[in-house]
Amino acid sequence: MQGTVDGFSYGLVTPLVAFLMACLGGALGLRCTTRAVRMSRSWRPGWLALGAATIGSGIWTMHFVAMTGFTVEGTPIHYDRLITFASLAVAVVMVGIGIFIVGYKGASGTALFTGGTITGLGIASMHYLGMAGMSLDGRLEYNVLTVAASVAIAMVAASAALWAAGQERGLRWSVGASVVMGLAVTGMHYTGMAALEVHVHGTAEPAAGEPAAALLGPMMVGPLAFLVLAGVVVVFDPLMVAGGSAAPPAEHKPGVPAHSPAHHSPARSRLRARGPVEHRSRTPQRR
């Protein structure tokens, strides 16, 4: 029989908290991405990795905050610990690939399309892998067209957020990008949940997995703590807060003078302006 699905068992509390978590992860991660663009190549990988881990943690936390309000009449829901952790890893890795592409190639053209597509697919993969970790006395079925729409929402909105993060226009611009990212994640999540149908067997409890309250609460402590630490990094970095621009330090190659060519002495400039000097031979000429 078809089970009655309720994604809002706590009313609007879980959707709002989930949206705020997605915005928080997006805000911190996109600011790290913007900061990475302003840094030299030696520091850039660290900032991009921090941004990927922050966005991935925010996406994962948002998903399972929303799932605490998800119930199916007639069967309890359990979660597989390994698959649940794997969904977090998939989110961080795939979002990281997209962020690194935009961080090194720029937020425009092919790089933006590729990075946004991979980031959006990472959001969708995390969602459906997390759903695959559910164990209940029934069978899950999805509407293919609605699933495709949820993936498209994730890709388009992720591309828009990465484009906004690459514009380097200050904190307000990045906050707007984080709202777009939050809308991408929550919109994708609830669109994907709208595609779900559950057929309950009504025979027994799930054979595997742990109850949501026992598993999800402790598991979300780690990503939440990481988001707090990332927030501390952002707060104590003045360029991240003020939105200032820091020019990457000049890279000097061995054997090349460090001073700028424009700083030559006036005497040397005059000699160059006169052109080559003809040297007379000191050898006496024979008559």
Side-chain angles (χ1 to χ4, degrees):
M1 65 177 178
Q2 185 172 345
T4 302
V5 176
D6 184 6
F8 306 93
S9 58
Y10 294 104
L12 294 178
V13 175
T14 48
L16 288 177
V17 174
F19 172 72
L20 291 176
M21 293 307 303
C23 289
L24 175 61
L28 297 177
L30 293 175
R31 285 304 291 170
C32 290
T33 304
T34 302
R35 185 73 165 91
V37 174
R38 301 169 181 166
M39 299 298 292
S40 62
R41 287 184 174 267
S42 59
W43 286 93
R44 192 173 299 176
W47 283 107
L48 292 175
L50 179 61
T54 306
I55 294 176
S57 298
I59 293 170
W60 186 89
T61 305
M62 173 270 151
H63 173 81
F64 285 103
V65 166
M67 290 306 294
T68 58
F70 177 76
T71 58
V72 178
E73 184 180 355
T75 176
I77 300 174
H78 291 177
Y79 288 88
D80 181 87
R81 183 180 293 270
L82 181 60
I83 296 178
T84 303
F85 271 122
S87 66
L88 173 60
V90 167
V92 173
V93 170
M94 292 193 68
V95 170
I97 293 173
I99 283 181
F100 268 78
I101 291 174
V102 172
Y104 278 94
K105 300 297 183 179
S108 61
T110 305
L112 177 62
F113 174 79
T114 305
T117 299
I118 294 175
T119 300
L121 289 176
I123 297 172
S125 299
M126 182 282 307
H127 173 84
Y128 289 107
L129 184 58
M131 295 296 293
M134 286 197 315
S135 177
L136 49 80
D137 182 29
R139 184 180 76 258
L140 305 181
E141 291 185 358
Y142 291 95
N143 181 281
V144 177
L145 292 179
T146 310
V147 169
S150 70
V151 176
I153 290 172
M155 290 190 298
V156 172
S159 300
L162 291 177
W163 174 81
Q167 300 308 302
E168 302 186 43
R169 297 184 183 179
L171 182 61
R172 292 183 180 179
W173 192 264
S174 293
V175 170
S178 70
V179 173
V180 173
M181 179 66 79
L183 290 173
V185 179
T186 52
M188 182 272 146
H189 175 87
Y190 285 105
T191 303
M193 297 305 292
L196 176 65
E197 289 185 0
V198 181
H199 297 273
V200 179
H201 298 154
T203 56
E205 289 194 2
E210 301 179 41
L215 177 65
L216 298 183
M219 285 185 68
M220 285 190 289
V221 171
L224 283 172
F226 179 79
L227 289 175
V228 171
L229 291 176
V232 171
V233 173
V234 171
V235 168
F236 283 95
D237 188 338
L239 285 176
M240 297 275 281
V241 176
S245 181
E251 298 179 1
H252 303 300
K253 298 181 180 180
V256 179
H259 58 267
S260 173
H263 293 163
H264 291 307
S265 62
R268 183 174 298 181
S269 300
R270 286 196 298 270
L271 287 175
R272 289 188 176 183
R274 292 176 181 176
V277 179
E278 297 181 0
H279 298 281
R280 296 181 179 179
S281 174
R282 295 183 180 179
T283 304
Q285 299 179 356
R286 296 181 180 180
R287 295 182 180 178

